Amino acid sequence: MRITLVDHPLIQHKLAHIRDKNTGSKDFRELMSEVSLLMAYEAMRDLELEEKEVETPVARARVRVLSGKKLALVAILRAGLVMVDGILKLVPAARVGHIGLYRDPETLSPVQYYAKLPSDIAERRVFLLDPMLATGGSASHALALLKEKGATGIKLMSIIAAPEGLERIARDHPETEVVVAAVDERLNDHGYIVPGLGDAGDRIYGTK
Ligand code: PRP
Ligand code: URA
């Protein structure tokens, strides 16, 4: 499994505010969206290009434009939703799929309650979005679902990962590339990332 750590100073600065428990929902959402956009810039570095010509006001120019597979963003609900809008600013033509999962509070295993994916998901480059990779159960379930639908070459984008989550993805889906902004210390007894940022869904939507 390939891990790309995107630790640009702008991302680290925004992450400091995101982690702070005194940051309210409005700022939290905006910062999460901004970090997602900055991470996508790096995650999409290997998109294919093709040459074409345009006429500038001065002369003809050889330029390069995106080619190859079209893109799909797949958000794991709820928290993955906060990553979608920022990334769509970069790639507005991407299709968006949703997979609804929550963690059973006792077992920490993911429970699926919804899935709606682009019908041509197998022909697209897929970016799976979930800001928190904790036990890795949710992301692993979503990756299995996407692979069942024929998706290949999926990149998982998570803002904060725990070592346990990375190990789980390496074991279950070793072909996956994971793009993260931080790898934290560990999980606590309740399956929360330490130091992490708390419960992402609750902080985004103010539901605690
Ligand atoms: C959170 C988070 C991830 C998941 C990560 O979702 O958004 O989807 O936990 O944990 P895991 O790696 O151990 O599976 P949660 O279950 O709290 O649901 P929510 O986003 O709807 O609040
Ligand atoms: N889900 C979250 O939102 N936060 C964690 O730390 C772990 C799982």
Side-chain angles (χ1 to χ4, degrees):
M1 182 183 75
R2 181 159 159 225
I3 302 174
T4 303
L5 176 65
V6 193
D7 58 356
H8 190 283
L10 288 173
I11 292 182
Q12 296 310 307
H13 182 81
K14 289 175 193 297
L15 203 45
H17 290 289
I18 285 171
R19 288 186 191 274
D20 187 337
K21 67 176 182 186
N22 296 312
T23 299
S25 286
K26 176 176 179 289
D27 289 342
F28 187 87
R29 279 195 299 271
E30 287 174 4
L31 288 159
M32 293 285 271
S33 178
E34 289 165 9
V35 165
S36 305
L37 180 152
L38 293 167
M39 288 175 69
Y41 181 76
E42 194 57 39
M44 295 182 180
R45 178 176 284 282
D46 61 352
L47 291 184
E48 285 170 44
L49 294 169
E50 67 185 5
E51 290 208 344
K52 66 173 222 175
E53 279 198 353
V54 297
E55 292 243 10
T56 79
V58 179
R60 292 180 82 77
R62 296 291 300 170
V63 294
R64 299 199 296 163
V65 295
L66 290 175
S67 66
K69 284 184 173 182
K70 296 201 165 65
L71 309 184
L73 311 179
V74 177
I76 299 183
L77 305 181
R78 291 177 297 167
L81 274 182
V82 82
M83 301 179 74
V84 173
D85 285 354
I87 301 176
L88 278 178
K89 285 188 185 145
L90 289 180
V91 287
R95 297 276 163 88
V96 182
H98 298 89
I99 300 175
L101 299 176
Y102 69 87
R103 292 199 309 177
D104 180 288
E106 299 298 322
T107 64
L108 299 182
S109 294
V111 181
Q112 184 177 322
Y113 58 88
Y114 186 74
K116 183 78 182 174
L117 299 170
S119 55
D120 59 354
I121 192 86
E123 277 87 60
R124 290 178 177 265
R125 283 196 65 162
V126 179
F127 294 84
L128 177 62
L129 312 178
D130 191 335
M132 308 305 283
L133 184 67
T135 66
S138 302
S140 180
H141 179 99
L143 285 164
L145 178 65
L146 289 167
K147 282 156 72 172
E148 204 181 288
K149 302 285 179 195
T152 54
I154 307 162
K155 284 198 195 190
L156 168 63
M157 292 178 59
S158 290
I159 295 178
I160 301 181
E164 293 90 334
L166 291 169
E167 280 160 27
R168 171 80 187 264
I169 300 303
R171 199 168 61 241
D172 293 357
H173 306 285
E175 76 290 349
T176 304
E177 182 175 341
V178 185
V179 182
V180 296
V183 180
D184 278 8
E185 287 163 27
R186 61 184 170 89
L187 297 179
N188 69 15
D189 293 343
H190 305 287
Y192 280 90
I193 300 176
V194 181
L197 52 70
D199 189 301
D202 283 345
R203 292 196 63 190
I204 294 163
Y205 298 111
T207 45
K208 193 69 188 170

